[in-house]
Each structure stands twice: as structure tokens, then as C-alpha cells.
């Protein structure tokens, strides 16, 4: 049963109406003809302030009505939460437009004092709203709140105000404002446009997602409570989209509850602002978000340049021998895997598939160096063991601490259709025979770049099918550890199954089919997929 009586309701209404009437009084002063004439250039802002001040009184009378008597005990917190949220939406408009006028109004103007007082009373009302919207507020609680308020005032007086920034030096951007309250949208839009930003407004979540997919934005201001799709749902959809996931999001809400803020942060929001929105804080967070977006865009550009350089190091299909095929699919822009194939003479070509430890730019740089070493050494050296020994020596001298390379490098002899190769710490080479059986040739040499290794420690392995058709395959662990939608690893068994299904098809078709299976099943790859195959 409800424990609320009429005395509770009257006390709540009185606490809310007292400061609201003061705000309305100042708004009415500004509405007087002689005053409004002297503030003619701010006619639109004053109109918004006056309308919102009247609406504040109406909203209190509507919210704190006899209907509150019908609330059950478990509904009281939700009522208080909703009331605070609705009142903050209105207060936001009064604060926003008052701050805009104060910013541009000459301090000597005869009505500067009235607008300043209106602003201060509104701020005071907002800061006390958490305690004011209580159906049971004891004398002790009122005293505690008053003491806390005094402490905050003293603290504020001790803090040096932030210096005004030169608008010419501020970063500006294209910002999407999403809020079902059109007055809030308009007020925020006006504030941001004054700072030089381009803006667009949407009034529900579905409209926002459509607009984001249609145009590019630097930051999104996103309200929590909206029709069709709420702010959480929009945020989650953005984070799951490749195009939208890196756009900074500032969540705006009338809710100050910790669980709401934590939920937004866990979902990936960059900033959180409570209504009514402090214009100075809004500007600071917008600037911070634009800086973040600028950094992310620069990082993306750098990664794309690095990825383009890497692609230029990997031979295209046009340069493949007839019985050879290889592919590399990067999980992230820059790959640590690579392959290469080089014609040595009319009877031989050299090949390599390598996997650099680690991720990102460092792995990409080590990959590029290993590729360059292999390509240059095969032009002057015929012995595959000596090539491996010299590659390792160079990598040991210059590679970053803890980084290493596993690889399979070898030579294919066209006339006798045989392969000699070195497996340096890499996954076993797979030989797929025409009769459906498989042979795994384990690594017999250590990984590259970790330590100095004697020439003879690079063990040369050979494979000669002797007129039997076979496939020679080597691949990185992105293939074997790639997961299917069921959660099961693709594994070596998955590779074998594909080969047996397609053993009468060219090696290109087999590798393409493996890639397709892994990409379809894994919408987000966690490791690079690199495969090299030779049809013997």
C-alpha cells in the first residue's frame, strides 16, 4: 500500500514551486515591453526563456497532482526519477538561452542584473532538484543538504575559472544532435552553431541511425530516453557497425543515477552529460570528442597507408606460376602475415609464407623487413639454408625485443616437380595426396629473429611425389584457429575436409573456398588469414 498522504504531496509541491516562482518572476520582468525592447536583439532567446519558465510551473502542477496518492511504495522511486528528468528538460532550456544572452550582453546593460539573477536562481534550483523531488524529506536531511550546498559554494570560490579560448583556434566539426525534446535540440543547436559547428537534429533513434548511415559526422549528442529506439539501442547499433563504431558519442540525459551512467560507459559511450546541460561543460566535451575523432581519423589514415605499402610488397595473382596460389586477408588494417613468390630461373621459383609475432605497426614493420630480406637474398643466393641463415642474422640484429618470425620458405623445381623447404617454428606443412590421405611435415628449425642460429641448424626438408598428384599447403594459425559460428575451431581437420571436397579442382579454388568459409562464419576476424599452396 502507498504510504504517501496529502501532506507529503503539498510539501513536495511547495518545495518545487517556491524556486520556480522566483524563476518565473525574473522571466516576467524580462517580458515587460520596455525591457524586451532594450533586449531586442535577443528576442528569440527571451521568448524561449519565458515560455519555458511558464511550462516549469505547469509541469510541477501536472506531475505533483492527486495521482501521486495512488502510487504504491515500489512506484515512488520511479515517480521521483521521471519528475527530475522532465523538469531538467525544461530547466535546460532556461539555462542554455540565459547563458547565451549573458555571454553576448554588455555587463553595463540595465537588465544584465535581471538575467544574471534568473540564471543563478535556475542553477540553484537545478542543483537542489535531487533533494527537492523527495516525497519525504526530514528536517535533518534539509540541514545536511544546506551544509553540503555551502561547502560546494566555498569550493567553487577557490577554483580559478577557465580562461576563455580563442574561437579561431577551436576545432569545429559536424555534430548530430538526437533528442525527442525539440526545444532541447534547438537550444543545443544554437549553442553549437555559435561555436562554429555544423549541426543536424533528429528526434528519435531510428531517424538517427538512418542519418548516420547517410552522412558523415564527427560527434553524436545522444539522449537516453527516445521513442522507437532509445539511446542505448542506438549506441549498441553504432558500436556494432564498421562505419559508425569510431564516432565519439556524448550521452545526454536527465538521469543522474549511477547505474545509468555506468551502463552507458560499459556500452562504449565517450562522455556523459546530465540535463540541464552546462554550456561550458558541453563545449569542453565537444572539443574533447572532436580531438579524439581527429586522432582516430589520423590513426586510420596512417594504418591505411601502411596497409597499402604492405599490399605493394605482396605479389599479385598476375605474377603467380601456373601451379601456385596464395592469399592474405588482414584481420586489421596492417597484417603481420605475408607470402611471396619469386622466379629464380626457368627451372625454379622461391616461395615464402611467414607469420610475425604480435599485432599492429611493429609487426607490420618486421613483416616488411623480412619480406625485403627474402626478396633481395634470393637474387644473389641459390642455397635455401644460407638464405634462412642470413635472414635470421639480420632480424636478430634489428628486431624489437621479444618479437620473432615463424615461416616456411623453399624452392620449387619445375622439371622434377619437387620441393625443398625449411620450416622455421611454423605450423606443420600439409601434404594432401591424390588418394585422400595427408602427411604433416613438422617444423625442424627454430623461429627467426630470437637468437643467433648456426647454418646447419636450419634443417632442409624435401618432398617429391614421384609422379603422384599432391598439394603442398602451408598456412598461418589464423586459419586453424578461425572459429565457426558454432564456436568450433576450423582446425586442420577443416582444411582437410575442404581439400577432399575439392581435390579435383585447382589449388586456387581450394584456397578461395577455405577463405570464404572463414570470412562468412567470422564477421569479425581476430587474426590474419594467410594460405600458400602449390599443386605438384
Amino acid at each position: 500500500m502507498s504510504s504517501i498522504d496529502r501532506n507529503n504531496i503539498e510539501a513536495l509541491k511547495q518545495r518545487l514551486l517556491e524556486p520556480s516562482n522566483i524563476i518565473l518572476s525574473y522571466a516576467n520582468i524580462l517580458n515587460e515591453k520596455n525591457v524586451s525592447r532594450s533586449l531586442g536583439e535577443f528576442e528569440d532567446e527571451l521568448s524561449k526563456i519565458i515560455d519555458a519558465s511558464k511550462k516549469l510551473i505547469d509541469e510541477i502542477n501536472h506531475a505533483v497532482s492527486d495521482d501521486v496518492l495512488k502510487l504504491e511504495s515500489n512506484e515512488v522511486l520511479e515517480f521521483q526519477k521521471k519528475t527530475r528528468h522532465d523538469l531538467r528538460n525544461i530547466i535546460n532550456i532556461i539555462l542554455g538561452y540565459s547563458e547565451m544572452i549573458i555571454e553576448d550582453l554588455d555587463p553595463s546593460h540595465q537588465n544584465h542584473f535581471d538575467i544574471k539573477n534568473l540564471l543563478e536562481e535556475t542553477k540553484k534550483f537545478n542543483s537542489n532538484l535531487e533533494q527537492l523531488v523527495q516525497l519525504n524529506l526530514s528536517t535533518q536531511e534539509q540541514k545536511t543538504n544546506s551544509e553540503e550546498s555551502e561547502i560546494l559554494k566555498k569550493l567553487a570560490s577557490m577554483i580559478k575559472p577557465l580562461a576563455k579560448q580563442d574561437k579561431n583556434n577551436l576545432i569545429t566539426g559536424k555534430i548530430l544532435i538526437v533528442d525527442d525534446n525539440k526545444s532541447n535540440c534547438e537550444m543545443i543547436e544554437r549553442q553549437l552553431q555559435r561555436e562554429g559547428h555544423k549541426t543536424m537534429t533528429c528526434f528519435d533513434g531510428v531517424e538517427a541511425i538512418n542519418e548516420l548511415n547517410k552522412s558523415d559526422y564527427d560527434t553524436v549528442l545522444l539522449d537516453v530516453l527516445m521513442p522507437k529506439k532509445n539511446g542505448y539501442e542506438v549506441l549498441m547499433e553504432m558500436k556494432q557497425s564498421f562505419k559508425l563504431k569510431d564516432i565519439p558519442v556524448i550521452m545526454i540525459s536527465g538521469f543522474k543515477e549511477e547505474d545509468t551512467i555506468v551502463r552507458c560507459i560499459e556500452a562504449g559511450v565517450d562522455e556523459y552529460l546530465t540535463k540541464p546541460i552546462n554550456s561550458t561543460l558541453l563545449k569542453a566535451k565537444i572539443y574533447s570528442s572532436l580531438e579524439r575523432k581527429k586522432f582516430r581519423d589520423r590513426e586510420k589514415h596512417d594504418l591505411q597507408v601502411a596497409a597499402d605499402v604492405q599490399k605493394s610488397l605482396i605479389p599479385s595473382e598476375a605474377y603467380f606460376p601456373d601451379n601456385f596460389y596464395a592469399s592474405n586477408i588482414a584481420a586489421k588494417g596492417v597484417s603481420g602475415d605475408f607470402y611471396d613468390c619469386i622466379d629464380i630461373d626457368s627451372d625454379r621459383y622461391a616461395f615464402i609464407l611467414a607469420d610475425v609475432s604480435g599485432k599492429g605497426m611493429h609487426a607490420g614493420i618486421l613483416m616488411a623487413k623480412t619480406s625485403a630480406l627474402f626478396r633481395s637474398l634470393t637474387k644473389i643466393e641459390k642455397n635455401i639454408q644460407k638464405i634462412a641463415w642470413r635472414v635470421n642474422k639480420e632480424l636478430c640484429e634489428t628486431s624489437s625485443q621479444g618479437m620473432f618470425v615463424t615461416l616456411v620458405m623453399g624452392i620449387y623445381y619445375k622439371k622434377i616437380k619437387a620441393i625443398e623447404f625449411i620450416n622455421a617454428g611454423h605450423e606443420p606443412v600439409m601434404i594432401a595426396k591424390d588418394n585422400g590421405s595427408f602427411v604433416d611435415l613438422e617444423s625442424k628449425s627454430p623461429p627467426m629473429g630470437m637468437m643467433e642460429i648456426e647454418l646447419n641448424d636450419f634443417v632442409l626438408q624435401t618432398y617429391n611425389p614421384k609422379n603422384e598428384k599432391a598439394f603442398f599447403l602451408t598456412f598461418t594459425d589464423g586459419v586453424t584457429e578461425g572459429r565457426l559460428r558454432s564456436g568450433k575451431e576450423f582446425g586442420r581437420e577443416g582444411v582437410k575436409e575442404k581439400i577432399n571436397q575439392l581435390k579435383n579442382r585447382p589449388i586456387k579454388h581450394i584456397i578461395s573456398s577455405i577463405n570464404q568459409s572463414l570470412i562468412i562464419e567470422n564477421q569479425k576476424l581476430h587474426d590474419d588469414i594467410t594460405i600458400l599452396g602449390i599443386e605438384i
Side-chain angles (χ1 to χ4, degrees), residues 451-517:
M451 65 186 82
E452 290 281 354
I453 300 169
E454 296 296 328
L455 178 65
N456 291 332
D457 287 333
F458 288 104
V459 178
L460 188 66
Q461 302 183 68
T462 60
Y463 182 74
N464 187 342
K466 296 180 180 178
N467 300 320
E468 179 186 21
K469 182 183 176 183
F471 293 123
F472 176 100
L473 276 97
T474 180
F475 35 80
T476 58
D477 55 10
V479 175
T480 52
E481 294 176 5
R483 292 193 175 273
L484 305 178
R485 194 172 285 113
S486 63
K488 179 184 176 182
E489 278 191 353
F490 189 68
R492 295 181 72 85
E493 291 305 313
V495 177
K496 291 176 182 179
E497 186 179 335
K498 279 290 178 186
I499 292 171
N500 278 334
Q501 287 173 358
L502 304 166
K503 64 181 180 180
N504 295 322
R505 304 297 298 273
I507 189 66
K508 173 183 177 179
H509 190 89
I510 294 171
I511 291 175
S512 297
S513 182
I514 292 170
N515 286 336
Q516 188 176 19
S517 296

Side-chain angles (χ1 to χ4, degrees), residues 303 310 329-337 355-366 403-404 476-478 481 525-529:
L303 284 172
Q310 277 196 326
I329 302 169
K332 297 176 182 177
V334 179
S335 172
D337 296 358
D355 185 358
V356 178
S357 67
K359 305 290 179 190
M361 197 66 75
H362 282 91
I365 292 169
L366 188 55
M403 295 191 75
F404 59 91
T476 58
D477 55 10
E481 294 176 5
L525 296 175
H526 295 285
D527 203 353
D528 306 325
I529 298 173

Side-chain angles (χ1 to χ4, degrees), residues 62-257:
H62 172 73
V64 190
S65 64
D66 287 349
D67 289 342
V68 182
L69 288 169
K70 301 173 187 176
L71 293 175
E72 298 296 329
S73 297
N74 61 345
E75 297 174 314
V76 171
L77 284 177
E78 189 58 35
F79 160 77
Q80 292 174 169
K81 185 177 179 181
K82 184 180 184 306
T83 303
R84 286 195 297 269
H85 177 271
D86 293 344
L87 293 178
R88 283 197 180 102
N89 269 333
I90 301 170
I91 293 167
N92 192 40
I93 294 165
I94 302 172
L95 280 178
Y97 284 111
S98 298
E99 286 174 344
M100 277 194 267
I101 296 174
I102 284 290
E103 190 174 320
D104 290 343
L105 189 64
D106 191 320
S108 63
H109 192 282
Q110 59 183 356
N111 295 111
H112 187 277
F113 178 78
D114 297 319
I115 297 171
K116 189 175 180 182
N117 279 352
L118 169 66
L119 183 59
E120 292 304 319
E121 289 297 330
T122 309
K123 285 180 178 178
K124 191 189 302 181
F125 180 45
N126 176 56
S127 65
N128 293 329
L129 192 57
E130 193 74 25
Q131 289 76 37
L132 290 173
V133 185
Q134 298 288 337
L135 283 166
N136 296 290
L137 193 63
S138 68
T139 305
Q140 181 58 41
E141 285 174 320
Q142 293 181 42
K143 182 181 177 183
T144 302
N145 292 337
S146 176
E147 288 173 352
E148 288 177 353
S149 179
E150 287 302 316
I151 291 171
L152 289 172
K153 283 180 183 177
K154 288 180 181 177
L155 181 61
S157 67
M158 295 166 64
I159 299 173
K160 184 180 178 181
L162 292 171
K164 285 190 176 181
Q165 292 176 292
D166 182 358
K167 288 186 179 181
N168 294 324
N169 295 327
L170 288 178
I171 298 173
T172 58
K174 189 177 179 184
I175 300 163
L176 181 65
I177 306 161
V178 190
D179 192 331
D180 62 323
N181 188 306
K182 293 189 178 183
S183 296
N184 269 333
C185 267
E186 185 181 328
M187 188 272 296
I188 294 170
E189 188 173 32
R190 290 276 297 277
Q191 286 181 324
L192 296 181
Q193 286 175 351
R194 285 158 63 93
E195 296 298 308
H197 303 294
K198 293 180 181 178
T199 60
M200 179 71 184
T201 57
C202 291
F203 305 113
D204 65 65
V206 173
E207 187 185 353
I209 288 294
N210 291 338
E211 179 60 32
L212 285 165
N213 282 316
K214 186 172 64 176
S215 303
D216 295 328
Y217 286 91
D218 298 308
T219 295
V220 178
L221 279 170
L222 184 62
D223 191 26
V224 173
L225 293 182
M226 290 185 298
K228 297 182 182 179
K229 262 188 183 154
N230 63 42
Y232 297 124
E233 292 169 327
V234 173
L235 180 64
M236 293 306 294
E237 194 164 335
M238 288 179 67
K239 293 304 174 184
Q240 291 166 9
S241 164
F242 180 79
K243 178 186 176 184
L244 308 179
K245 63 185 177 69
D246 290 328
I247 301 175
V249 176
I250 301 174
M251 197 69 91
I252 52 177
S253 173
F255 298 138
K256 289 187 176 180
E257 284 73 12

